[in-house]
Amino acid sequence: MARPAAVARSPIPAFGSTDVVAGWEVSQTSRTSQGATLELIDCMPLTKVLVRGAASGAVADLLKTPFGRASRTLSGVLTTACRPEEWTLYAVPGSAPRLIDKVTKRVPAGELVTLLDITHGRTLVRLTGSRGPDVLCKLCGIDLSDAVTPTGAALRTSVARLTVELVRDDRNGVCSYLMSCDRSYGDYFFGALLDAGTEFAIEPQGFVLPGI
Amino acid sequence: MILIPCPNCGPRNASEFRYVGESIARPDPNSATQEQWRAYLYERVNPSGWTTESWFHRAGCGRYFKIERDTNSNEVRAVRLEPAAATKGES
Ligand SMILES: [Zn+2]
């Protein structure tokens, strides 16, 4: 079957051969590197929706995620609150219109809420592995211990001198961080993380559905 | 590293913030003289000791807040958010 045409690309250059997933050109994960103990995944295809609204209003009631936390209160959606009165929703590729519609329907007339599809405006990567905190502590000043930033912690801070949204979102009991920065810094950010992780045998990985 | 205690995010490296400056009362634009405006815009006390100043958490919560800081030791005491109208600005 002919390969479908890609309509979008990540700012992170492809490593190895490529495939098309949900309209995105993604790097193919090589068979030899599957099961790596420390991996950095280019998650650019995931839907990202920015929500701004009052801390006590219909949107806050719907998202149920206070400042500084991340949760999965909406089905299949990771909601993060890295700034007061602001949330970012992460979901499977191509789901932004449905997500925006779902939130819009819950907002009563007169409540001021901003919804913006920022899928293509932010670079998103996931760092998974027990040595993840060792990589990040080389690049940022946050206390990454379980006591201070357990799974479900969400914050905005400086990582590799960039403003980054950092979310601890463990997968199957393994330490994992979801990180996003402005799209244009994506290539640099991915490279900085790979450099910091070299001593821990970090491996870059391509995006695989569902990815969230 | 100088730690600045953001009232929202907790202590963070000073490089995450923008130093806004000493807190100065804004004169009434309808009645202030030119001298008063110049003093408001350009003149600072720059004390050797305790001062009250504004900081903006650029790489964090994106909010303005005030702290009392000893300019000799960088010790910080009282911290408070700016009034709501002034706290939402840059992204
Ligand atoms: Zn802050």
Side-chain angles (χ1 to χ4, degrees), chain A residues 86-211:
Chain A
E86 183 178 304
W87 299 265
T88 307
L89 315 180
Y90 298 102
V92 291
S95 57
R98 182 175 51 82
L99 209 49
I100 289 173
D101 189 52
K102 184 173 186 174
V103 177
T104 304
K105 282 180 177 159
R106 294 287 293 267
V107 180
E111 185 173 327
L112 189 62
V113 172
T114 302
L115 288 155
L116 195 61
D117 179 2
I118 55 168
T119 299
H120 298 265
R122 305 279 296 173
T123 296
L124 184 66
V125 301
R126 183 182 279 279
L127 176 68
T128 302
S130 59
R131 303 304 298 272
D134 297 315
V135 177
L136 286 183
C137 78
K138 293 169 74 175
L139 301 170
C140 82
I142 295 296
D143 184 341
L144 298 164
S145 65
D146 286 345
V148 177
T149 44
T151 187
L155 54 103
R156 201 162 170 264
T157 188
S158 174
V159 181
R161 304 292 285 182
L162 297 174
T163 299
V164 168
E165 290 198 353
L166 177 68
V167 178
R168 170 94 180 262
D169 180 42
D170 289 2
R171 313 201 94 181
N172 304 317
V174 178
C175 183
S176 186
Y177 297 94
L178 205 57
M179 290 174 281
S180 77
C181 64
D182 285 341
R183 179 193 169 99
S184 52
Y185 297 125
D187 188 10
Y188 158 74
F189 187 47
F190 203 74
L193 288 165
L194 287 179
D195 285 350
T198 301
E199 64 175 298
F200 309 110
I202 194 171
E203 288 194 23
Q205 301 279 342
F207 180 77
V208 178
L209 285 169

Side-chain angles (χ1 to χ4, degrees), chain B residues 30-83:
Chain B
N30 296 313
S31 58
T33 62
Q34 286 200 347
E35 287 73 20
Q36 285 173 314
W37 268 116
R38 278 199 294 271
Y40 168 64
L41 291 173
Y42 304 119
E43 291 177 15
R44 298 294 178 267
V45 178
N46 290 326
S48 171
W50 287 101
T51 183
T52 301
E53 56 198 13
S54 294
W55 289 72
F56 173 65
H57 199 180
R58 178 182 53 79
C61 59
R63 296 293 191 267
Y64 289 88
F65 59 95
K66 285 187 175 165
I67 62 174
E68 287 178 34
R69 182 176 65 94
D70 187 328
T71 57
N72 294 311
S73 64
N74 278 323
E75 182 191 343
V76 172
R77 56 188 191 196
V79 177
R80 63 183 184 278
L81 282 170
E82 298 270 12

